[in-house]
Amino acid sequence: ILEELRDRASARAYAALWRDGDLEVVEIRGRRGSRELPDVTKGFRGAAHALALGKIYLSGLPRAQWPRYLRGPTYRRYTSATIATPEALAQHLRTVRDSGLAFDLQEFAAGSCCIAVPVHRGADKDLIASVGISVPARRFTAERHTLTGVIREIAAEATAELSSLADDLPPALLE
């Protein structure tokens, strides 16, 4: 999935899971010259409020299940664009939930924008991962609609593939 996303979007591609109550980046596929998110490497945990990958998960969780660092009155700012209050984040996450699409508009790293979408398993729509891309802000502005279309299409293909696998496997193997 990530290799296809990387190739079709010509961008660095990421996959993340929700593990032990927080976002964890589990895989990255990049190419030379593609925009990196500084400090976001395989195994990176945290910053769910500032990363599109994390917003996908947060949008489906009650506040009580958010990570400890998101339980105070303000959140860590990575840039001046970082969403830094529970009220602002909750309002933003309603849009993410309604659209099934999350953006990081220079919220984690100045000059970088990200787009993320959920990948579901089966007809019950269990969220199993978020996948996303990072691009320079200038490219995001110029190609936002094209990039959004590519990432939605790939996530839909991945969801369909996982759903067909789920139909062929015993339920115990899917847990």
Side-chain angles (χ1 to χ4, degrees), residues 31 46 64 71 128 165:
R31 39 173 31 145
R71 294 192 187 149
I128 60 165
L165 288 173

Side-chain angles (χ1 to χ4, degrees), residues 97-159:
R97 189 172 34 257
D98 292 345
S99 67
L101 182 72
F103 296 107
D104 156 5
L105 305 176
Q106 301 187 69
E107 295 168 50
F108 184 77
S112 292
C113 291
C114 301
I115 307 169
V117 294
V119 174
H120 298 281
R121 175 184 61 209
D124 53 8
K125 297 273 192 184
D126 285 339
L127 176 62
I128 60 165
S130 59
V131 295
I133 56 172
S134 62
V135 296
R138 183 178 240 161
R139 180 175 175 210
F140 176 84
T141 300
E143 300 178 33
R144 175 182 180 163
H145 296 294
T146 301
L147 293 169
T148 298
V150 167
I151 195 169
R152 281 188 185 274
E153 192 173 295
I154 289 173
E157 291 168 6
T159 294

Side-chain angles (χ1 to χ4, degrees), residues 71-85:
R71 294 192 187 149
T74 60
Y75 306 146
R76 178 179 174 190
R77 284 189 175 270
Y78 294 90
T79 72
S80 61
T82 304
I83 296 171
T85 66

